[in-house]
Amino acid sequence: MPIDPFTEQRRQMVEQQIRARGIRNERVLAAMEKVPRHVFVPEDARRMAYDDRPLPIGDGQTISQPYIVALMTDLLDPHIGDRILEIGAGSGYQAAILAELASEVITIERIPAVAARARRNLSAAGSRPADVIVADGTLGYPQKAPYQGILVTAGTPDVPPPLIGQLADGGRLVAPVGPHGIQELVRIVREGERIRRESHGGVVFVPLIGEHGWREDEE
Ligand code: SAH
C-alpha cells in the first residue's frame, strides 16, 4: 500500500462507505484502498477526494462516488487474465482500479482534453498501464474484441448493440441505462448465444454521447 497523507482517509472510505454498504469482494476493496483517488481529482478538490460523493473533474464531467465505482467493479468482476473495455475514461480513476484487477484495460474517452488529463493522472498515480483512446465508445473498440468485461461509465438510453457484440462468452457488461437524471444499473452476462440481463438499482451519470447513445443536442 502506498503511504501518502491520504492513506487513513482511504482506509476509512473503504470501511465506512463501501464495506459497510455490503461490498465484500476483497480484491475490489484492496484496489480501492490502494489507488490514490486524490491524484485523479482537480487540485482544489483534493481535500474532498475521499468524501462520499461524486466530484467535478472539469469539462462538465464527474468522477463517480467511491461506492458506485466499487459497486460497478464488483458487478463487472474483473480477474487476472481478463481484457476489459471501459467507456468514459473521465479522470482515469475507474481505469486505474480495473488495471489492478485485470490483465489489460482499454478506456475510451470522447473529449480529447479529458483523455489527456486521464493519461496524466494515471501516470502521476503510478497506476498499472491502461490505454486511453479518444473515440466514440458507443461503437466499442473492435480492434481488441472480445472483452471479458465492458464497463460503461456514462448514462445511456439503452445498451449500445456494438458493445454486446464485443462481449466474450461468459463476459459481463455493466452500464447505467435510462433517461437523463436517473438511470438503472444494468448488468448483462453473455452465456453463449444467450444474453442475461439484471438490474442493480438507481444511479445518476452524465450522458453517454455518440452514435448509439444520446445526440449531442439532447444533452
Ligand atoms: N469513469 C470516469 C468517470 C466517467 S464520467 C472516472 O473514473 O473518472 C463520463 C465520461 O464519459 C466523461 O468524461 C465523458 O466525456 C465520457 N463520454 C461520454 N460519451 C462518451 C462516448 N460516446 N465515448 C467515450 N466517452 C464518452
Side-chain angles (χ1 to χ4, degrees):
M1 297 290 150
I3 297 296
D4 61 53
F6 294 97
T7 302
E8 180 55 22
Q9 283 191 44
R10 203 155 48 239
R11 200 187 61 75
Q12 286 184 15
M13 170 191 84
V14 168
E15 293 307 317
Q16 295 167 10
Q17 301 175 33
I18 302 172
R19 197 193 294 273
R21 287 194 180 112
I23 306 270
R24 292 294 138 79
N25 185 329
E26 292 299 333
R27 298 172 60 246
V28 173
L29 296 169
M32 299 284 302
E33 190 155 339
K34 180 174 172 192
V35 174
R37 179 172 164 95
H38 60 279
V39 174
F40 294 85
V41 308
E43 200 97 39
D44 61 357
R46 288 215 163 152
R47 64 195 165 75
M48 295 180 280
Y50 297 96
D51 290 0
D52 191 12
R53 51 172 283 192
L55 288 169
I57 55 169
D59 291 282
Q61 307 305 328
T62 53
I63 177 173
S64 304
Q65 180 190 6
Y67 170 67
I68 296 297
V69 173
L71 175 62
M72 291 176 95
T73 308
D74 188 30
L75 289 171
L76 192 74
D77 198 23
H79 286 89
I80 298 301
D82 288 355
R83 180 162 54 237
I84 305 290
L85 179 68
E86 182 194 22
I87 315 300
S91 67
Y93 176 65
Q94 174 76 72
I97 298 285
L98 295 173
E100 289 291 321
L101 299 169
S103 290
E104 190 175 353
V105 175
I106 297 148
T107 182
I108 306 190
E109 172 55 53
R110 69 179 276 270
I111 304 175
V114 173
R117 205 154 50 226
R119 284 192 199 104
R120 275 202 304 278
N121 292 344
L122 284 160
S123 134
S127 167
R128 288 171 45 84
D131 265 344
V132 184
I133 288 163
V134 177
D136 174 6
T138 70
L139 302 171
Y141 192 63
Q143 292 90 325
K144 291 252 173 140
Y147 302 95
Q148 283 71 40
I150 301 181
L151 183 55
V152 183
T153 61
T156 176
D158 207 346
V159 178
L163 299 185
I164 299 179
Q166 291 171 29
L167 209 50
D169 193 11
R172 289 84 53 202
L173 180 153
V174 176
V177 177
H180 290 320
I182 176 97
Q183 303 94 30
E184 199 165 72
L185 202 50
V186 165
R187 175 164 67 175
I188 282 177
V189 183
R190 177 189 283 282
E191 291 159 347
E193 289 310 298
R194 209 172 141 254
I195 299 290
R196 183 156 55 83
R197 185 173 170 134
E198 319 157 345
S199 226
H200 291 274
V203 287
V204 181
F205 275 81
V206 299
L208 182 75
I209 296 165
E211 192 170 324
H212 298 276
W214 299 99
R215 291 202 317 261
E216 191 143 26
D217 58 15
E218 290 174 328
E219 214 182 327

